Amino acid sequence: MHGLLAETGRAVAFLSRLPVPDRFFSGDPIPVSQSARAYALAGVVIALPAALLLFVLLEAGLAPLFAAALALCCLMVVTGGLHEDGLADCADGFGGGASRERALEIMKDSTIGAYGGLALVMSVLLRASGVAAIAAAAQPWATALAVIGVASLSRAAMVWHWHVLPAARADGVAVAAGQPANRTAVFAVASGAVLAAILTAAAAGPEGAALSLLLTACACIGFTRLARARIGGHTGDTIGACQQICEIAALLGLALWL
């Protein structure tokens, strides 16, 4: 199997714990950096179980915040906490490392410190509250679509962050994976923006979707500049942290408009 479909399957396998049929891995190997162009599409697949659960719970009359929290738990189970792990390591490194070398050393340590713990708490709280705010103002089906759109957009933002920064380390997962080419990054960002605009407009209209896209772009650019200033490039942890930050920004844009 070749082309975008194969890349989407491999991206889903890389970014989540969802089972992917063996046929997606047949043929010539596809570099991780190449399959990154399908990250926005993979985000749709990855968020689908959580979105369906959210829809069912909201239709059943469950309070929006409780429903949002359960849907977020489902999403974290599907991803195996991949991006949350990156956020925690990044927060510990940026918060506790006085120098570039010390920050990278802390980020490589699997132990979670105070900064990482607080970052995780804030991320879960803000994302659950954001989904709940949307659910309180929009129909259940529209809220579920917005969750999928935000998941797609935030994973597209990861590719842009990964593309524009050099690897911060001479070794590690990010170096082994390579760096997305310009065409790969453009496709990922464009597809993520289009999917997010269509899916989130159901809940917040075109204006709310536009605000969500704008805040996501600002968050991605701002965090990317911070990573460049603190450690001189990207790591697997900063890529994961970028997804979390951009997901919060996208939800904030929708919630603000509603």
Side-chain angles (χ1 to χ4, degrees):
M1 184 177 293
H2 301 279
L4 186 59
L5 182 60
E7 292 172 9
T8 302
R10 296 186 188 201
V12 169
F14 183 72
L15 296 175
S16 76
R17 293 185 174 180
L18 292 175
V20 177
D22 292 340
R23 65 177 180 273
F24 284 92
F25 302 93
S26 62
D28 297 331
I30 298 176
V32 174
S33 58
Q34 181 180 329
S35 64
R37 75 165 178 155
Y39 275 18
L41 300 176
V44 172
V45 178
I46 291 168
L48 189 57
L52 289 174
L53 176 63
L54 179 64
F55 172 75
V56 170
L57 293 175
L58 291 174
E59 282 288 338
L62 190 64
L65 183 56
F66 201 179
L70 288 172
L72 186 57
C73 288
C74 176
L75 184 58
M76 288 188 287
V77 168
V78 168
T79 63
L82 177 67
H83 309 306
E84 286 80 5
D85 179 69
L87 175 67
D89 288 342
C90 198
D92 279 333
F94 285 17
S99 65
R100 173 183 179 276
E101 292 72 22
R102 179 55 181 156
L104 287 171
E105 181 183 352
I106 293 173
M107 290 167 67
K108 199 170 184 179
D109 188 348
S110 60
T111 304
I112 296 180
Y115 289 110
L118 288 172
L120 288 176
V121 170
M122 288 188 287
S123 175
V124 172
L125 179 62
L126 290 172
R127 286 185 290 151
S129 299
V131 174
I134 298 168
Q139 294 295 320
W141 64 268
T143 304
L145 289 179
V147 167
I148 296 174
V150 167
S152 177
L153 180 61
S154 61
R155 282 160 181 80
M158 292 168 56
V159 182
W160 188 87
H161 172 86
W162 183 6
H163 167 68
V164 299
L165 290 178
R169 295 190 182 96
D171 56 0
V173 176
V175 174
Q179 197 161 5
N182 185 65
R183 182 181 298 180
T184 298
V186 169
F187 184 89
V189 171
S191 58
V194 171
L195 285 169
I198 294 172
L199 293 172
T200 60
E207 298 88 352
L211 179 59
S212 180
L213 288 170
L214 176 61
L215 291 185
T216 302
C218 291
C220 185
I221 293 170
F223 177 71
T224 298
R225 289 182 175 178
L226 175 63
R228 187 188 297 275
R230 289 293 284 114
I231 60 174
H234 73 263
T235 68
D237 289 331
T238 69
I239 295 172
C242 183
Q243 187 278 327
Q244 294 280 285
I245 291 168
C246 288
E247 186 170 302
I248 292 169
L251 290 171
L252 175 62
L254 297 175
L256 280 173
W257 189 260
L258 290 169

